[in-house]
Amino acid sequence: MPPPKRLKVEKEEPSIPHVVQGEVARLNHKFKVNLDPAHHTGSKVIHLICKLDDKYLPSVPPISIVLPANYPHSSPQCEPNSPEYGATPFLQRMYAFTYLTSRAVYISDD
């Protein structure tokens, strides 16, 4: 008797819009960007983890970037996602800068 056939369960790959793929591809090679594995793929919201990888720059913990479903018409949210941002005065300033700039409101003349 032949072994029973297994059902193939296809892993649902997240659909990344071309505009996001292009922006990530144009980043300097020292920036490493990956999908955040902690968030499910059923949502149109995209969660990214960004790391700085350069031996000549200070080591900083990664940040999370959340792209809303209607990106680029709505701004992304940037949030340091590590308690390590409280470890040194430099990292505390980085956290404060990231926190403030992620909540900045840009006013256009439209």
Side-chain angles (χ1 to χ4, degrees), residues 10 15 17 71 85 102:
E10 291 191 26
S15 176
Y71 178 82
Y85 275 95
S102 71

Side-chain angles (χ1 to χ4, degrees), residues 9-16 35 40-44:
V9 178
E10 291 191 26
K11 198 175 193 179
E12 185 178 321
E13 292 296 323
S15 176
I16 307 299
L35 287 172
H40 58 76
T41 59
S43 174
K44 295 286 185 193

Side-chain angles (χ1 to χ4, degrees), residues 37-94:
H39 295 279
H40 58 76
T41 59
S43 174
K44 295 286 185 193
V45 175
I46 300 170
H47 296 263
L48 302 171
I49 300 291
C50 301
K51 299 176 185 176
L52 179 61
D53 184 24
D54 188 320
K55 65 182 178 180
Y56 299 109
L57 294 174
S59 176
V60 293
I63 58 171
S64 294
I65 296 185
V66 179
L67 301 176
N70 62 344
Y71 178 82
H73 300 292
S74 291
S75 297
Q77 295 296 311
C78 176
E79 185 91 17
N81 63 348
S82 174
E84 295 174 41
Y85 275 95
T88 67
F90 170 76
L91 292 176
Q92 289 170 359
R93 287 190 306 273
M94 290 297 301

